C-alpha cells in the first residue's frame, strides 16, 4: 500500500505494481482503484507498470469536506505522477476518471505523458445547456443527489443492478458478484465527496481542455451507455481533440471495462503498442 499527501493535507491511496512503461488508471464515480482489477492484472502480465489511485473522498483515500471538483482531482493526479516521477506514461480514465485525465492533461501539461485513453467518459459536458442541447437535464443529477442523501446504500445497489452494466436490458444476465463489488467500492467512500462529485462530473465543461490536448487519445464508448449517453459525449470529444481515435462498441454498457474486459483490454493493448 502507498499513499501521498497533497498540499491541502489530503491522503491519496494508490497501488503501484510491476515495472516498464507506466499505465495510470483513473476510476469512475463513486468507485475506487479496485474497479480496474481486470485491466491492472492484464497489463501487468503484458510487461507494463500499472498504477491506480483512489480519488479523494473515495475508497481508501481520506475524506476531506471540500475539494471535490475536477481541478482538485487533476491536481491530486499531478501530485501522484510527480511523487512517482512518472515519464512516458499512458493515462486511462473511465467515466468521471476520463474527465479527470482530460483536466489533468490540459491543466498540468503533457511532459510526462505519451498517450491517453478515455472510456465511457463524461467530456465534453453532461448537463443540458443552451450550448449543449443534447445533454441531460440538470434535474436528472439533482435526483441522483436526492437518492444518495436519502439512502446511499440502496442507491448504490440500484445503479449497478440496473443501468451501469446494462443489467436492466431484456435478456441480460445480472452478475450478483459485479453488483456487490460496485456497492462495496461505493460504500467505502464518503457521502460528501460522492454528493459533490455528482456536480463535478455532470456540470464541468471540458470543451477547452479537450482542444489543448495534443497527445494521441483513444476515445472508447458503448452506444448503449445509459449513464453517459453516447451521442453527446464520445463523438463530440473526438472532434475537439487534435489527435483522437474514436472506437464505438455496439450494445456495450457504461461499465464495459468490467463486463467486456476481454474486448476492452485487447483494444487498449493495441493502442498502447501502436
Amino acid at each position: 500500500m502507498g499513499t501521498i499527501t497533497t498540499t491541502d493535507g489530503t491522503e491519496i491511496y494508490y497501488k503501484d505494481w510491476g515495472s516498464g512503461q507506466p499505465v495510470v488508471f483513473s476510476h469512475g464515480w463513486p468507485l475506487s482503484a479496485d474497479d480496474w482489477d481486470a485491466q491492472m492484472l492484464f497489463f501487468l502480465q503484458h510487461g507494463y507498470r500499472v498504477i491506480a489511485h483512489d480519488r479523494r473522498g473515495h475508497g481508501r483515500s481520506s475524506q476531506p469536506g471540500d475539494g471535490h471538483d475536477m481541478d482538485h482531482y487533476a491536481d491530486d493526479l499531478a501530485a501522484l505522477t510527480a511523487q512517482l516521477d512518472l515519464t512516458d506514461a499512458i493515462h486511462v480514465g473511465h467515466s468521471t476518471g476520463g474527465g479527470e485525465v482530460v483536466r489533468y492533461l490540459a491543466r498540468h501539461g503533457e511532459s510526462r505523458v505519451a498517450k491517453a485513453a478515455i472510456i465511457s467518459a463524461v467530456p465534453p459536458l453532461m448537463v443540458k445547456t443552451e450550448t449543449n442541447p443534447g445533454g441531460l437535464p440538470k434535474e436528472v443529477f439533482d435526483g441522483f443527489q436526492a437518492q444518495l442523501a436519502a439512502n446511499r446504500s440502496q442507491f448504490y445497489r440500484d445503479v449497478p443492478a440496473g443501468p451501469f452494466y446494462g443489467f436492466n436490458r431484456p435478456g441480460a444476465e445480472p452478475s450478483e458478484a459485479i453488483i456487490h463489488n460496485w456497492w462495496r467500492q461505493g460504500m467505502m467512500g464518503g457521502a460528501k465527496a460522492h454528493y459533490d462529485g455528482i456536480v463535478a462530473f455532470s456540470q464541468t465543461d471540458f470543451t477547452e481542455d479537450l482542444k489543448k490536448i495534443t497527445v494521441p487519445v483513444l476515445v472508447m464508448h458503448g452506444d448503449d451507455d445509459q449513464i453517459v449517453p453516447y451521442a453527446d459525449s464520445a463523438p463530440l470529444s473526438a472532434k475537439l481533440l487534435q489527435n483522437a481515435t474514436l472506437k464505438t462498441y455496439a450494445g456495450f454498457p457504461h461499465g464495459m471495462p468490467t463486463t467486456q474486459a476481454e474486448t476492452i483490454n485487447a483494444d487498449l493493448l493495441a493502442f498502447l503498442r501502436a
Side-chain angles (χ1 to χ4, degrees):
M1 177 182 126
T3 61
I4 64 160
T5 303
T6 66
T7 53
D8 69 353
T10 301
E11 194 170 79
I12 302 294
Y13 168 93
Y14 69 93
K15 310 174 190 185
D16 182 0
W17 305 338
S19 58
Q21 187 177 17
V23 184
V24 185
F25 296 95
S26 292
H27 65 77
W29 175 98
L31 304 172
S32 73
D34 294 354
D35 202 44
W36 290 111
D37 285 353
Q39 283 69 45
M40 290 186 70
L41 291 171
F42 177 86
F43 286 99
L44 181 67
Q45 291 164 0
H46 283 83
Y48 291 90
R49 177 184 177 186
V50 292
I51 299 155
H53 68 292
D54 290 354
R55 188 171 298 118
R56 63 170 54 216
H58 295 62
R60 290 140 293 203
S61 292
S62 59
Q63 298 185 12
D66 52 18
H68 308 296
D69 55 73
M70 283 294 166
D71 284 351
H72 278 87
Y73 297 166
D75 293 350
D76 293 348
L77 179 56
L80 177 63
T81 60
Q83 177 75 28
L84 298 179
D85 194 23
L86 302 182
T87 57
D88 198 34
I90 296 145
H91 282 265
V92 181
H94 176 245
S95 195
T96 299
E100 177 180 287
V101 168
V102 167
R103 179 57 55 92
Y104 162 72
L105 290 170
R107 186 171 167 88
H108 293 278
E110 303 172 342
S111 62
R112 296 182 177 274
V113 181
K115 294 179 178 179
I118 56 175
I119 308 172
S120 313
V122 297
L125 174 62
M126 282 196 73
V127 74
K128 183 178 183 177
T129 64
E130 286 186 10
T131 55
N132 187 45
L136 295 170
K138 182 177 178 292
E139 290 75 23
V140 171
F141 305 107
D142 294 344
F144 289 170
Q145 288 185 311
Q147 291 177 78
L148 186 154
N151 190 337
R152 188 164 68 119
S153 181
Q154 185 63 53
F155 184 42
Y156 287 3
R157 170 76 190 181
D158 295 342
V159 173
F164 198 92
Y165 296 110
F167 290 153
N168 57 346
R169 292 303 198 206
E173 296 182 11
S175 164
E176 190 59 39
I178 289 174
I179 294 166
H180 184 74
N181 190 43
W182 200 102
W183 178 91
R184 175 192 68 84
Q185 291 178 70
M187 294 306 293
M188 285 170 65
K192 178 63 161 60
H194 294 170
Y195 188 90
D196 292 353
I198 292 169
V199 174
F201 75 65
S202 66
Q203 296 185 31
T204 303
D205 190 341
F206 298 96
T207 301
E208 296 305 315
D209 301 283
L210 290 160
K211 292 176 182 176
K212 294 177 183 176
I213 297 170
T214 64
V215 296
V217 181
L218 179 61
V219 181
M220 313 169 80
H221 217 107
D223 70 3
D224 193 33
D225 192 321
Q226 299 174 67
I227 304 294
V228 182
Y230 173 82
D232 199 55
S233 52
L236 304 183
S237 289
K239 286 181 181 178
L240 290 163
L241 289 160
Q242 297 182 40
N243 190 1
T245 301
L246 174 62
K247 199 158 183 64
T248 304
Y249 298 86
F252 279 22
H254 185 68
M256 63 186 190
T258 298
T259 58
Q260 310 290 341
E262 189 174 337
T263 299
I264 299 304
N265 290 351
D267 288 351
L268 272 173
L269 182 62
F271 173 69
L272 267 58
R273 288 176 168 174

